[in-house]
Amino acid sequence: MFDIRKMQETALFERIKAAAGEELAAAIVYEGGAGSMDDAAWVCETMKRMEAAFDTQTLKRLRMGCQCGYGMDEKKALVRELTRSANNMEEFAGSEKAHNAGLFTEDGALYLSFPFCPCPMLANVKRLDTKTWCYCTMGYSKELFEDVWGCEVEVDLLKSIKAGDDMCLMRITPLSPVW
């Protein structure tokens, strides 16, 4: 069975442990009765502890490494199909199928948007104070596009519904030519 909470606890613990040691990892991930908290409370409390311990760049790096891979095979198949049928970024993101998946280009840049929060861990979270939790979606998108395109990709999280924006929005920038 797919236990997203356990997966996130383990991934977060291992990332923090590698960066700052087991003691801090345990304090951030498991402190304060974490086992008895529902997912929403655990996410909010854990992110507060992380934000107190790390700077923004470190938070991004740690959370990007916690992406769960949920539905990744289907997403990779779609990106492969769109890539094969295109000769450039505009063609890649220009089809109805691409638009339905939230892909579009603007001024030559590729964007991925969602009109809803796709994270199963945030289903019962009404609002986050920051985008820290959402950095894992950057890691998800980075892995998705790098694997399919075979080049390094930079991902910027521009908007997050759970942080109060009207959508989730990322800019996806390949650092080498795709076509």
Side-chain angles (χ1 to χ4, degrees):
M1 181 152 113
F2 187 74
D3 185 347
I4 188 69
R5 167 76 174 266
K6 184 67 176 164
M7 183 181 289
Q8 282 297 315
E9 286 178 355
T10 301
L12 193 56
F13 179 84
E14 292 301 324
R15 294 288 179 204
I16 296 170
K17 178 180 158 187
E22 189 168 350
E23 186 176 326
L24 183 59
I28 289 173
V29 177
Y30 301 117
E31 194 170 274
S36 63
M37 290 181 193
D38 65 20
D39 291 348
W42 179 79
V43 164
C44 293
E45 292 304 312
T46 301
M47 291 305 97
K48 285 178 189 172
R49 290 191 292 271
M50 277 190 79
E51 289 162 357
F54 299 106
D55 62 67
T56 302
Q57 284 310 110
T58 304
L59 289 168
K60 284 182 182 179
R61 184 174 44 79
L62 292 171
R63 286 297 300 141
M64 284 178 71
C66 294
Q67 66 88 11
C68 64
Y70 184 75
M72 182 70 80
D73 291 339
E74 295 83 12
K75 303 287 190 300
K76 284 182 181 180
L78 173 63
V79 172
R80 279 189 190 95
E81 176 186 338
L82 295 171
T83 302
R84 279 194 301 268
S85 66
N87 294 305
N88 57 48
M89 199 60 74
E90 286 72 24
E91 288 179 11
F92 171 81
S95 71
E96 183 177 346
K97 192 176 262 191
H99 287 196
N100 289 341
L103 294 163
F104 67 95
T105 59
E106 188 173 289
D107 298 326
L110 177 65
Y111 295 89
L112 175 58
S113 67
F114 301 102
F116 59 90
C117 175
C119 178
M121 281 295 295
L122 298 182
N124 295 318
V125 175
K126 292 189 185 344
R127 169 106 190 220
L128 296 169
D129 293 332
T130 69
K131 295 177 184 173
T132 299
W133 182 265
C134 304
Y135 295 148
C136 66
T137 196
M138 293 168 55
Y140 185 102
S141 295
K142 184 174 179 65
E143 180 178 322
L144 168 64
F145 287 97
E146 285 184 349
D147 184 62
V148 174
W149 287 347
C151 68
E152 190 174 351
V153 171
E154 186 175 281
V155 179
D156 297 302
L157 180 64
L158 305 174
K159 293 183 177 186
S160 165
I161 287 175
K162 293 296 183 170
D165 294 312
D166 60 337
M167 70 173 81
C168 293
L169 180 66
M170 289 175 283
R171 182 176 44 243
I172 313 294
T173 308
L175 300 182
S176 299
V178 176
W179 289 273

